[in-house]
């Protein structure tokens, strides 16, 4: 079934506000679009989602998608704090195979390296033809920890809230407008975003008129770690991350899995890290194809045997040869109008 999903984020809003301010307005806007079979809305805290199911047999789904997007864009009565609506066609994806990236030990440095290796493997898999998406399972979010001793805070007459405010004030990435000249326009933007612990350590906290600058790194220790989580991801008893390789319905499962196996056997990983595979969906497909071929051969032999009994061997031979030729894939025949 072809489906279109319209989702709008409204931070802090209750489900009742989402229903009145977002879902009902989207339903009224898309009501005039032809080709819609059913509209289902879901209002939750901070999020409104409208699922639109299209009628079967629609030849141009992109046209209906563009009409729905145009109708949603015309809505001007969304709440002020609501974000832009996201309209996309719901595509069905299936897991082709799962890949596990194993880590040598439980050290924090090894866990950070494991995430880097897993991200590299994911980027390489996305370059393979037929792979539509690769999703992590068991991955923790990155986190930067800043630890400052209490004695250091007292010696400089500072508090943790002041340190947090200084980091928040200095770590930003905001647009500042445009400067227009006679012949050009200059985009002004404040770019001071820090994303690693080493960059956060360079942010100034105290600046004196005599030129003395006290940074976050001078006060304490900054480490790149992961957010605290109660979940533990292990594969065969070893720390690791799981990657789910997804494919679209139109992709050849057997070819996708073969390419993934070729990549797993040829990839070079750092010492101690390893790739394993499981949940291979092509095993069932290959088994069904093998069963189909076996049944076809048995049926062909049975037909030839019965024809040989009731007719003659020559007729049985040519009929048996003709049966597989009927199912043999043929190239499309094209005719030239000039020759006709």
């Amino acid at each position: 079934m072809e489906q279109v999903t319209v989702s709008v984020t409204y931070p802090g809003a209750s489900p009742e506000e989402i229903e009145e301010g977002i879902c009902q307005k989207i339903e009224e806007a898309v009501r005039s679009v032809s080709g819609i079979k059913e509209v289902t809305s879901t209002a939750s805290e901070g999020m409104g989602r409208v699922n639109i199911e299209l009628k079967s047999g629609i030849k141009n789904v992109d046209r209906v998608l563009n009409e729905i997007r145009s109708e949603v864009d015309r809505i001007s009565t969304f709440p002020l704090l609501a974000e832009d609506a996201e309209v996309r066609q719901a595509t069905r994806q299936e897991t082709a195979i799962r890949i596990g990236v194993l880590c040598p030990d439980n050290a924090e440095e090894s866990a950070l390296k494991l995430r880097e290796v897993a991200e590299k493997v994911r980027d390489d898999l996305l370059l393979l033809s037929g792979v539509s998406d690769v999703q992590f399972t068991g991955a923790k979010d990155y986190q930067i920890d800043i630890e400052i001793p209490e004695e250091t805070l007292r010696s400089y007459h500072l508090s943790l809230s002041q340190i947090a405010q200084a980091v928040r004030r200095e770590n930003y990435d905001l647009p500042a407008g445009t400067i227009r000249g006679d012949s050009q326009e200059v985009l002004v933007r404040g770019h001071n975003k820090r994303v690693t612990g080493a960059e956060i350590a360079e942010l100034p906290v105290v600046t004196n008129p005599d030129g003395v600058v006290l940074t976050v790194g001078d006060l304490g220790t900054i480490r790149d770690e992961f957010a605290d989580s109660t979940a533990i991801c292990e594969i065969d008893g070893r720390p690791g991350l799981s990657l789910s390789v997804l494919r679209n319905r139109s992709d050849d499962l057997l070819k996708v899995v073969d390419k993934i196996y070729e990549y797993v056997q040829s990839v070079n990983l750092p010492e101690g890290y390893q790739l394993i595979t499981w949940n291979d969906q092509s095993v069932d497909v290959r088994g069904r194809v093998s069963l189909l071929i076996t049944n076809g051969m048995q049926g062909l032999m049975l037909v030839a045997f019965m024809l040989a009994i009731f007719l003659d061997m020559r007729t049985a031979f040519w009929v048996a040869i003709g049966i597989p030729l009927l199912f043999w894939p043929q190239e499309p025949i094209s005719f030239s109008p000039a020759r006709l």
Side-chain angles (χ1 to χ4, degrees), residues 63-270:
R63 178 190 60 81
V64 182
L65 178 63
N66 293 331
E67 291 182 2
I68 294 175
R69 182 178 289 110
S70 300
E71 295 295 336
V72 173
D73 292 339
R74 291 193 185 99
I75 301 176
S76 59
T77 57
F78 279 148
L80 296 178
L81 298 180
E83 299 181 2
D84 295 337
E86 180 182 0
V87 182
R88 59 183 180 87
Q89 181 181 359
T91 57
R92 180 182 176 184
Q93 295 178 332
E94 299 177 352
T95 301
I97 192 174
R98 295 184 185 274
I99 300 177
V101 185
L102 303 183
C103 183
D105 50 53
N106 291 318
E108 190 69 26
E109 294 77 9
S110 300
L112 293 172
K113 186 66 176 179
L114 172 65
R115 182 64 180 270
E116 296 178 3
V117 173
E119 290 180 352
K120 180 182 181 302
V121 172
R122 181 186 62 179
D123 295 339
D124 294 341
L125 293 175
L126 290 175
L127 296 178
L128 301 178
S129 60
V131 178
S132 59
D133 191 14
V134 179
Q135 296 181 356
F136 277 115
T137 302
K140 299 180 181 179
D141 296 331
Y142 282 112
Q143 178 176 285
I144 300 177
D145 293 341
I146 302 177
E147 296 182 359
I148 302 177
E150 184 178 356
E151 294 79 7
T152 304
L153 294 175
R154 290 181 178 180
S155 61
Y156 289 102
H157 302 285
L158 296 173
S159 63
L160 289 177
S161 60
Q162 291 177 335
I163 302 297
Q165 184 179 1
V167 173
R168 189 181 300 108
R169 181 181 64 250
E170 298 294 337
N171 191 24
Y172 62 88
D173 187 5
L174 298 174
T178 304
I179 300 177
R180 292 181 175 85
D182 296 335
S183 59
Q184 63 179 353
E185 293 185 357
V186 179
L187 180 63
V188 181
R189 187 178 186 86
H191 181 69
N192 195 36
K193 189 71 174 179
R194 311 298 178 93
V195 295
T196 63
E199 296 175 348
I200 294 293
E202 300 175 354
L203 293 177
V205 177
V206 178
T207 304
N208 295 333
D210 56 358
V212 178
V213 178
L214 193 63
T215 63
V216 179
D218 298 333
L219 298 176
T221 304
I222 296 91
R223 294 192 303 269
D224 292 316
E225 295 184 353
F226 292 108
D228 295 335
S229 176
T230 57
I232 299 176
C233 182
E234 292 185 351
I235 303 174
D236 288 344
R238 296 172 55 183
L241 289 178
S242 174
L243 301 177
S244 300
V245 181
L246 306 180
R247 69 176 184 93
N248 295 326
R249 291 178 297 174
S250 59
D251 298 327
D252 191 338
L253 174 63
L254 302 182
K255 292 182 179 179
V256 171
V257 172
D258 291 340
K259 292 180 181 179
I260 292 175
Y261 277 124
E262 294 177 1
Y263 171 79
V264 171
Q265 296 175 0
S266 61
V267 65
N268 294 323
L269 299 179

